[in-house]
Amino acid sequence: MRDLIRRIDAATPPERDRAVDALRALAVFGVVLGHWLVTALVSDSGTLHTTSPLRHMPQLAPVSWLFQTLALFFLVGGQVGAASHASARARGTGYGRWLGARLARLVRPVAAVLVVWSVAAGAMLASGASWETIRTLVKLVYSPLWFLLVFVALTAATPLAAKLHPLWPLAAVTLVDLVRYGLDGPAWLGWLNVVAGWSVPYCLGAARARGSLCGRVTGWALLLGGAAAASGLVLWAGYPAAMVGVPGAAASNLDPPTLAVVTFGLAQCGAALLLLGPLRRVLRRPAVWVAVALVNLSAMTVFLWHQTAMIAVTAIGMVASGPLPGLHTVPDDFGWVLARLAWLPAFALALLVCCAAFRVHEQRAGAERERRPAGAPEVERV
């Protein structure tokens, strides 16, 4: 094992910023753990439907602030994408070839999950499962894919994002919320924030790639200013306290994004910038770096299949012994929270099985990237 750790550590290019990979790993961990803790599949007369402990115990809303890590994805994506595009331009690689290579890693893993769950839905329908159960499960698996659609759009717009100051999309989000909430504007305006809102951390990452907004002063300003703004919007402007979607809630900070979740994302980005130095020091240890590297090698597979892992454990538990606390019961007390924490190792084991089965699609995408023509750009991981 020690020899393997040393080989992986030695094979890492010295110019690679390991802290950026660590931020991506933290973002993946936050999304997975957040979904596993705030999503409950409740069995009701043989039909499954989703609910959330945040709906039944709203006092837990601050916990969602720990697991809403999407801003980190876009921060890292903007930095890596802008650096990749600048490198491709320096080599004389065209935009179309760069973008095609940049997105190639997404195609196979996404296609795999779409095919498997299309077949699974058809099989469940043929076996007599209720339409409500099928819809619930498919939505649970497919709904996180919205993130990839936004990421693709922002990746395609990287040349523009590399020139755009983050204050511009932040101003757009502020204007949209002012019109729809302060002036009773149409609700559909909120969907403009899907791109504008996540453009803020993406443009911030792109700015870092060109050497701007990199100092500790910037980090503290983002952390303190973003936290103060998000807290003020929740406490005095009526925004929901939860930074994730809550089934059945009258309003959501995420669907579509609001100014509250965007300013919270800025605070998160500020904390990330301040952590870069300590992370770099910790990641000098080969064993720590190898753990981060392994997560990054399977990041897409983990993201796409973590809901399937939770569903698999839920289904097996239902077949084996009927409704189980923390797995099929209504999340309306702290007993459910403790029971759900006890189920996390089972979810993790199921996810490892999914990764073993489906990571091959991520590996093939990487192999195809290695066979790219001479002069084609190297594609960093999303």
Side-chain angles (χ1 to χ4, degrees):
M1 178 62 72
R2 290 181 179 178
D3 289 340
L4 176 62
I5 290 174
R6 282 195 293 266
R7 286 200 302 271
I8 294 175
D9 182 62
T12 303
E15 69 276 8
R16 188 176 188 93
D17 191 343
R18 300 183 179 193
V20 172
D21 291 295
L23 290 179
R24 187 187 294 112
L26 286 173
V28 171
F29 179 78
V31 168
V32 171
L33 192 58
H35 281 162
W36 286 352
L37 290 176
V38 305
T39 304
L41 278 169
V42 177
S43 175
D44 183 10
S45 301
T47 298
L48 291 177
H49 63 87
T50 56
T51 186
S52 172
L54 299 179
R55 179 181 181 183
H56 299 275
M57 294 178 283
Q59 66 271 27
L60 294 179
V63 176
S64 68
W65 292 43
L66 299 176
F67 304 116
Q68 176 47 276
T69 55
L70 286 176
L72 292 183
F73 276 112
F74 289 104
L75 175 72
V76 172
Q79 180 173 341
V80 174
S84 172
H85 181 253
S87 177
R89 287 187 63 187
R91 293 192 302 267
T93 302
Y95 169 78
R97 176 176 287 183
W98 168 80
L99 182 62
R102 184 84 181 112
L103 299 180
R105 185 172 174 266
L106 298 176
V107 176
R108 284 185 181 274
V110 171
V113 75
L114 291 175
V115 169
V116 167
W117 269 96
S118 295
V119 172
M124 286 187 289
L125 189 62
S127 67
S130 70
W131 172 249
E132 179 62 25
T133 294
I134 297 172
R135 188 188 70 83
T136 295
L137 298 181
V138 171
K139 183 179 179 181
L140 200 61
V141 173
Y142 285 176
S143 58
L145 298 183
W146 71 263
F147 157 78
L148 296 180
L149 294 177
V150 179
F151 192 90
V152 166
L154 291 178
T155 300
T158 294
L160 174 61
K163 302 175 182 178
L164 192 65
H165 196 284
L167 286 177
W168 288 108
L170 179 60
V173 173
T174 303
L175 179 61
V176 167
D177 273 20
L178 177 63
V179 171
R180 64 175 177 147
Y181 292 137
L183 303 177
D184 293 324
W188 60 264
L189 279 176
W191 295 104
L192 298 176
N193 285 349
V194 173
V195 173
W198 300 117
S199 293
V200 176
Y202 195 89
C203 289
L204 181 60
R208 283 186 47 77
R210 62 177 184 264
S212 302
L213 304 176
C214 294
R216 290 184 64 82
V217 172
T218 298
W220 280 112
L222 290 172
L223 174 58
L224 298 178
S231 300
L233 290 168
V234 170
L235 293 173
W236 299 301
Y239 283 77
M243 291 297 165
V244 298
V246 179
S252 170
N253 276 319
L254 200 60
D255 189 23
T258 65
L259 183 60
V261 80
V262 172
T263 54
F264 170 73
L266 286 176
Q268 199 172 62
C269 291
L273 298 185
L274 294 172
L275 282 173
L276 287 175
L279 283 174
R280 291 187 183 109
R281 290 191 290 272
V282 171
L283 291 168
R284 291 172 187 164
R285 303 174 183 175
V288 179
W289 164 241
V290 167
V292 170
L294 292 176
V295 171
N296 276 273
L297 286 172
S298 300
M300 273 294 297
T301 306
V302 170
F303 177 80
L304 291 171
W305 291 96
H306 72 278
Q307 296 284 56
T308 299
M310 183 183 71
I311 290 170
V313 173
T314 302
I316 292 172
M318 178 67 73
V319 171
S321 59
L324 296 170
L327 202 59
H328 313 102
T329 53
V330 177
D332 55 2
D333 57 33
F334 285 98
W336 183 94
V337 176
L338 294 176
R340 174 51 63 105
L341 290 173
W343 283 108
L344 293 183
F347 295 164
L349 179 61
L351 181 56
L352 287 176
V353 173
C354 290
C355 287
F358 297 104
R359 185 176 174 270
V360 63
H361 302 287
E362 199 165 355
Q363 290 174 324
R364 286 178 181 174
E368 290 174 358
R369 197 167 63 242
E370 293 300 323
R371 294 195 296 268
R372 64 188 182 276
E378 179 182 356
V379 182
E380 295 84 351
R381 297 190 175 274
V382 296

